[in-house]
Amino acid sequence: MSLTIRTVTVCAVGMLSLSACATRGALRRGLDQERTARVMSDSAQAAQLASQQGQLTQQAADLASLKSDLAALRTEFGAKISEVAEGMKFALPVHFAYDDATVRTEDGPALDRFASVVQKHYPGAKVTVEGFADPAGTKQYNLALSQRRADAVREYINGKGIDPSLVSAVGYGKSRLVVKDASRDMPGAEMNRRVVFVIETP
């Protein structure tokens, strides 16, 4: 074999060896990059999973706290709580004297607890105070009286820290009677002179 041919052969073999080394190096770099990307992806997924688990744990704790507070409203104050289309309806034992719209001192604790529950569990939710009257008097007079009652309770709970912009008051007069035809000092008349709360939940 001539010197020229041997030289060309050696050079070709050398080039092939260099090419193979370069290919192996590129392959190794590619594998390293892929491994790094996989590790980073796994870490991100683990962090996301941990965050979601933390959120679920917090939600479970919040739900348990809400159930406990609602149960306390029922047992301590005789509140009637139900779901309605708008959200949650709270009928507290908050009543009024005949032809009066003053919040009674004895109703303060129930209203205080209600305001606390709203702030703790329903931040940012809209609250509607619905006022009612017994059937004594004209329709127009009772609408105005029930509105004054709703306004008085709204002012009271706003004073307990609920954002005034989230609370509205509506008077419904002598509609939706709890005890039919009971008025003035008749048995059950006080049940008609009341307020009901509706919390609009998301």
Side-chain angles (χ1 to χ4, degrees):
M1 185 182 294
S2 70
L3 180 61
T4 304
I5 294 173
R6 264 200 305 259
T7 303
V8 169
T9 302
V10 169
C11 287
V13 170
M15 287 174 63
L16 285 172
S17 296
L18 287 173
S19 175
C21 289
T23 302
R24 279 196 299 274
L27 181 61
R28 191 179 302 111
R29 283 193 299 276
L31 288 173
D32 288 345
Q33 289 173 352
E34 183 182 341
R35 187 165 35 249
T36 300
R38 193 163 52 243
V39 168
M40 290 176 64
S41 175
D42 290 347
S43 297
Q45 287 179 351
Q48 184 180 16
L49 181 60
S51 174
Q52 290 172 345
Q53 288 174 336
Q55 289 173 1
L56 287 174
T57 301
Q58 184 60 52
Q59 287 174 353
D62 291 344
L63 183 59
S65 176
L66 173 60
K67 286 181 176 179
S68 175
D69 286 341
L70 294 184
L73 274 175
R74 288 186 176 104
T75 56
E76 292 177 38
F77 302 104
K80 295 179 181 176
I81 304 166
S82 57
E83 289 187 40
V84 292
E86 301 89 350
M88 298 293 291
K89 180 176 174 182
F90 291 74
L92 297 174
V94 176
H95 303 107
F96 297 85
Y98 175 69
D99 197 25
D100 189 64
T102 306
V103 176
R104 303 181 306 179
T105 303
E106 59 264 37
D107 292 330
L111 290 172
D112 293 348
R113 181 68 64 85
F114 174 77
S116 174
V117 167
V118 171
Q119 292 176 84
K120 182 178 178 183
H121 299 291
Y122 302 101
K126 291 183 178 179
V127 179
T128 301
V129 184
E130 300 178 344
F132 297 90
D134 70 32
T138 65
K139 178 180 179 181
Q140 205 61 33
Y141 182 84
N142 280 321
L143 279 172
L145 177 58
S146 64
Q147 182 66 54
R148 291 200 307 275
R149 288 170 174 165
D151 288 338
V153 172
R154 176 185 60 186
E155 187 175 330
Y156 183 95
I157 63 174
N158 286 346
K160 297 300 175 180
I162 297 180
D163 184 349
S165 68
L166 297 173
V167 185
S168 59
V170 182
Y172 287 100
K174 53 185 176 181
S175 64
R176 298 190 229 164
L177 295 176
V178 176
V179 181
K180 188 178 179 182
D181 298 329
S183 63
R184 302 178 188 271
D185 58 356
M186 293 173 61
E190 188 180 72
M191 302 293 289
N192 293 327
R193 301 188 292 263
R194 71 196 190 282
V195 291
V196 171
F197 299 93
V198 175
I199 300 177
E200 293 182 35
T201 55

